[in-house]
Amino acid sequence: MKKVCVITGGGSGMGLEAAKFMPKNRIIVIAGRTVAKLEKALEELKELGFEAYAHAVDTSDRSSVRELAEYAASLGEITNVINSAGMSPAQTNGEKLLRINALGTVYVNQEFSKLMKAGSVIVDISSNSAYSLPNFIVPKKAYPLAETDEEKFIEKILKRASMAKTDYQKAGFAYAISKNFVCWYAAKCAFEYGKKGIRVASLSPGLIATDMGNAEKENGGYLIKFAAEERMGKPEELGFAIATLADERNGYLAGVDVLCDGGSTRGQKEFKKQK
């Protein structure tokens, strides 16, 4: 049976770059909201020699995610899942961010894990924004509600995000919390799915020169000066890091978040901390 790698948010940016670094013996399924973007990405992958397919998905809709998982399983054995679908504060409001970034991660992990076997891998993509808020602002006690009462989960997170002043800042708070949740949930799943031999980890990029990253540069560009090399990351650099984390040979790298942000988080808090 052929091995299948599924990448949500695979139509462009880091997701597409990660696909290019996957082994050629994998069937690649790229999924996302925009079919035209997926078709263009599909052409690139096929030109590189991959057997690849595109499938539309809305990760904020569990039934859509389930349909994607079942489609992937019809092609072979699902061995690698990279959940890089997500939106940023410049693209939408706080509630939509939570439904796509946070609840979308719940849906992807739950629906795909049902169809995966021992030795397979799930990598959830977070953000260095997960580390940006003080601990007292991050409502971790509300996180378990994502699996038991989704509307209550959304309500509590939005209430915390309302501490910010402007609409953009409120969306920014919701985004940061949604990505902190991704790190937490990936770790939770690592311990839950580890009993079945499914490895789960997360990766948190910094400011990357993708369409999304460039859209956030006006507000998040200050982080560049805190990075070790004082630059944005390149999509292909993150693609390689993600594909490496998703490789089955990294079998002991589970239940952790890989912070891949050029050192900007550490620089801001310590080595380049402003006096």
Side-chain angles (χ1 to χ4, degrees), residues 136-163:
F136 75 89
I137 291 180
V138 180
K140 282 194 174 181
K141 290 183 179 179
Y143 287 0
L145 289 170
E147 291 186 313
T148 60
D149 190 336
E150 294 178 3
E151 297 310 313
K152 194 70 174 177
F153 170 77
I154 296 290
E155 178 187 330
K156 284 185 173 291
I157 304 302
L158 289 179
K159 183 177 180 180
R160 187 58 57 90
S162 68
M163 294 172 63

Side-chain angles (χ1 to χ4, degrees), residues 87-101 154 158 167-168 170-172 174-175 178:
M87 298 187 80
S88 71
Q91 296 175 305
T92 190
N93 58 41
E95 180 174 349
K96 191 68 173 177
L97 289 169
L98 290 168
R99 292 193 181 279
I100 293 176
N101 298 350
I154 296 290
L158 289 179
D167 287 342
Y168 179 84
K170 289 176 182 178
Y175 177 79
S178 75

Side-chain angles (χ1 to χ4, degrees), residues 15 30 63 72 75 93 108 163 167 205-206 211 217 261 271:
I30 53 172
S63 63
L75 299 173
N93 58 41
V108 169
M163 294 172 63
D167 287 342
D211 290 343
K217 189 176 180 181
D261 70 344
F271 296 106

Side-chain angles (χ1 to χ4, degrees), residues 119-266:
S120 56
V121 188
I122 297 174
V123 173
D124 293 314
I125 303 304
S126 179
S127 163
N128 66 343
S129 293
Y131 299 85
S132 65
L133 296 177
N135 289 334
F136 75 89
I137 291 180
V138 180
K140 282 194 174 181
K141 290 183 179 179
Y143 287 0
L145 289 170
E147 291 186 313
T148 60
D149 190 336
E150 294 178 3
E151 297 310 313
K152 194 70 174 177
F153 170 77
I154 296 290
E155 178 187 330
K156 284 185 173 291
I157 304 302
L158 289 179
K159 183 177 180 180
R160 187 58 57 90
S162 68
M163 294 172 63
K165 295 180 180 180
T166 68
D167 287 342
Y168 179 84
Q169 289 172 337
K170 289 176 182 178
F173 268 43
Y175 177 79
I177 294 171
S178 75
K179 290 302 188 178
N180 186 275
F181 171 85
V182 170
C183 295
W184 176 87
Y185 193 71
K188 178 182 183 296
C189 290
F191 290 92
E192 182 179 345
Y193 304 164
K195 298 171 186 177
K196 297 169 56 180
I198 300 173
R199 179 170 65 87
V200 187
S202 60
L203 183 142
S204 290
L207 196 60
I208 311 303
T210 60
D211 290 343
M212 182 185 295
N214 289 325
E216 293 297 332
K217 189 176 180 181
E218 180 179 346
N219 293 286
Y222 73 93
L223 287 171
I224 295 174
K225 65 183 179 183
F226 293 110
E229 297 180 12
E230 298 188 0
R231 65 175 176 87
M232 295 176 73
K234 302 174 184 177
E236 60 269 27
E237 291 174 323
L238 270 293
F240 181 75
I242 293 166
T244 301
L245 182 57
D247 192 306
E248 300 97 307
R249 290 171 292 183
N250 250 327
Y252 210 49
L253 194 52
V256 296
D257 180 63
V258 177
L259 183 56
C260 190
D261 70 344
S264 59
T265 297
R266 189 68 182 270

Side-chain angles (χ1 to χ4, degrees), residues 11-34:
S12 62
M14 295 178 288
L16 177 56
E17 292 301 322
K20 295 175 183 178
F21 285 108
M22 294 304 295
K24 289 286 178 64
N25 67 349
R26 301 297 146 96
I27 294 175
I28 305 295
V29 178
I30 53 172
R33 297 185 305 274
T34 308

